[in-house]
Amino acid sequence: MVTSARPGPPVPPPPPSPAMAPSASASPANSRRSAAASALRSAPDMVVWTLTSFVAVVLYSVSVPIDAAVYHVHVAIAFGIALLQVGSLLLAMWQGWAAVAAFLLGQALFGVFGSVDPGLPWPVTVPQLIVLCALLVLLALRGRARWAMVLWVGAIVVPLAVAFLPDRGATPDGVVANLVTSAAVSALVLGAALAVTAGRAKLSEQLDEQRATTAAEYERRLVAEERTRIAREMHDVVAHSMSIIQVQAASAPYRLSGLDEATTAEFAEIAASARSAMAEMRELLTVLRDPAGEAETAPQPGLAQLPELVASVERAGVPITLDVAAGAVDGGLAARAAYRIVQESLSNVLRHAPGAPTLVTVRPATAGSAGLDVTVRNQASSDAAAAGSPDAATPAAAVGPVLDGSAAAGTEPRAGHGLVGIRERARLLGGRIESGATADGGFEVHAVLPQAGAAGTASVAHEEAE
């Protein structure tokens, strides 16, 4: 399946940009990183499980003897009641309704089988109140606020019903005081837990909004930086042509005999205009240039430098077949963009599908035109094939910035912007980019770059649309 990006305003995806071939996700290093990330994400749950289990064991060891010795519950039944109520803490980590049902059932059984001496808390004991508060906090913090409310109401209704059972030894005043105290304490704990949950949800929402804003700003910065690079390359192309015009105009009176004064003056004006245009371009480029960046003095590469680029990538272990058609026109913005697109695509192959056989083809976009049709297609890497990765044809996300090349062919790649720069180059030329996974688990980038006239028309139309 192939996705298409045509001229139009860029839609900012979350950074970093998608990689070209995801096959490296099956490598042992990436597997270790994935395992470490999974362990880090599961660390909070492990801590909660550990603390909950510890509290459950402590409360269970306290509840059984208190129920049996103080509240006259048969020892076997006391074990069962404590298991239901204390075990509800562990059930809360799994299902909210199961935890609520277990606690309330234990509360009801305690009221049926237990009795109390005058002056002792009844029908809610101190260990039961502690379990109730811990369970309310656990349910609220794990996003089960509805079940926490059901538990709080049930923890009032069930003991109230138990209080009407005869011959339990409790006085009416003691029962009322016990129920009011347990309801107030548990309500305070539940309110605090819900407040913490609401604050955490609000903070998470703000963080999500900040991430979205940061992603959009990051994408806009990438586009701006790529446009600045393109502007510098355009300066090199135009300056070369303007220099030729200036030299030819200035030398015309000396090369051509029999020119009158008017013609000589016309050539002088042409040469002066060319020099003025080059000076203005240099001033504009000074404004666009990154103050912290280093000036690029090497010539901008084109189709003639593709063999050198391919050779440098092959030395890194990627077998590449280069096919440049005889009719492909070198020079100009289309050739410059074609080189950069091939360079970026091969960098992605090096990073995400090392060793994958790759085919690079460059042909005229149409017969006899200066436009170019560029295709870079890589097969699945041997690592992914050996691992039998089920998602080998799915582009990997969040793999970090891909590599981009420096100004001169064959030099060490530097950090770039991946498919963001490829799309932007094609869009500014009025071309189109299609990229996506292939049926054999590889990846393909296909670019159609129009000739100068078509690019100019498309750019004008785009500016008018904006």
Side-chain angles (χ1 to χ4, degrees):
M1 181 176 181
V2 176
T3 58
S4 176
R6 297 184 180 274
V11 179
S17 57
M20 184 175 163
S23 309
S25 61
S27 65
N30 284 340
S31 299
R32 288 193 296 270
R33 285 195 293 268
S34 299
S38 300
L40 187 61
R41 287 193 298 269
S42 62
D45 279 345
M46 294 177 61
V47 171
V48 174
W49 272 102
T50 302
L51 291 177
T52 303
S53 301
F54 175 77
V55 172
V57 170
V58 172
L59 290 176
Y60 186 80
S61 63
V62 172
S63 297
V64 172
I66 290 179
D67 290 351
V70 179
Y71 291 95
H72 313 295
V73 180
H74 191 276
V75 175
I77 299 177
F79 274 102
I81 292 173
L83 183 62
L84 282 172
Q85 293 193 308
V86 175
S88 64
L89 294 175
L90 299 177
L91 288 176
M93 302 289 294
W94 172 55
Q95 285 288 351
W97 65 268
V100 172
F103 181 86
L104 295 181
L105 178 59
Q107 191 76 46
L109 292 175
F110 174 78
V112 171
F113 293 100
S115 61
V116 66
D117 296 330
L120 293 177
W122 179 269
V124 180
T125 66
V126 173
Q128 289 174 352
L129 181 58
I130 295 175
V131 173
L132 173 61
C133 292
L135 187 55
L136 289 172
V137 171
L138 200 56
L139 289 172
L141 294 183
R142 293 188 69 82
R144 301 185 174 100
R146 181 182 64 178
W147 287 113
M149 295 297 299
V150 171
L151 174 64
W152 183 77
V153 173
I156 297 175
V157 173
V158 172
L160 182 62
V162 169
F164 287 99
L165 295 176
D167 301 329
R168 290 297 179 266
T171 61
D173 292 342
V175 170
V176 171
N178 180 262
L179 290 177
V180 170
T181 300
S182 63
V185 171
S186 59
L188 180 62
V189 171
L190 177 60
L194 292 177
V196 170
T197 303
R200 187 173 62 179
K202 185 176 181 180
L203 178 61
S204 178
E205 182 180 354
Q206 292 176 348
L207 289 176
D208 290 340
E209 293 178 355
Q210 184 62 37
R211 290 191 191 100
T213 302
T214 302
E217 291 297 331
Y218 181 81
E219 180 67 19
R220 282 193 286 269
R221 182 173 65 83
L222 292 187
V223 172
E225 291 177 358
E226 190 64 25
R227 286 190 172 188
T228 301
R229 282 191 63 198
I230 295 172
R232 291 198 297 266
E233 295 176 8
M234 187 179 297
H235 164 268
D236 292 343
V237 175
V238 177
H240 174 71
S241 300
M242 295 297 293
S243 297
I244 293 176
I245 294 174
Q246 190 269 335
V247 170
Q248 289 179 334
S251 62
Y254 303 99
R255 292 183 293 103
L256 304 176
S257 59
L259 296 180
D260 55 21
E261 293 184 0
T263 304
T264 302
E266 186 73 20
F267 276 119
E269 291 179 4
I270 293 174
S273 298
R275 285 192 297 269
S276 176
M278 286 190 293
E280 291 176 359
M281 280 195 302
R282 292 191 188 96
E283 292 176 359
L284 179 59
L285 184 62
T286 302
V287 175
L288 292 176
R289 192 180 299 277
D290 181 9
E294 296 181 358
E296 296 178 353
T297 57
Q300 293 298 331
L303 301 185
Q305 285 72 38
L306 283 179
E308 186 178 353
L309 172 65
V310 167
S312 67
V313 178
E314 284 184 326
R315 286 194 295 271
V318 177
I320 301 175
T321 301
L322 176 63
D323 181 11
V324 180
V329 178
D330 196 2
L333 296 178
R336 206 76 69 240
Y339 177 90
R340 292 302 188 191
I341 289 173
V342 173
Q343 187 179 47
E344 192 67 56
S345 301
L346 293 181
S347 297
N348 287 337
V349 175
L350 276 173
R351 183 178 178 89
H352 304 291
T358 303
L359 173 64
V360 179
T361 60
V362 181
R363 304 188 181 282
T366 57
S369 72
L372 296 174
D373 187 298
V374 182
T375 302
V376 181
R377 181 190 302 110
N378 69 278
Q379 301 177 13
S381 69
S382 56
D383 292 341
S389 175
D391 57 349
T394 305
V399 293
V402 297
L403 299 178
D404 191 11
S406 56
T411 58
E412 184 68 20
R414 62 181 179 176
H417 312 315
L419 294 179
V420 174
I422 292 177
R423 287 195 301 268
E424 189 65 16
R425 287 179 181 277
R427 193 178 74 83
L428 292 180
L429 287 176
R432 68 178 188 272
I433 286 287
E434 295 175 351
S435 61
T438 59
D440 61 354
F443 203 86
E444 176 180 294
V445 173
H446 178 226
V448 177
L449 307 173
Q451 57 182 334
T457 304
S459 300
V460 171
H462 177 64
E463 294 296 334
E464 293 177 351
E466 291 182 338

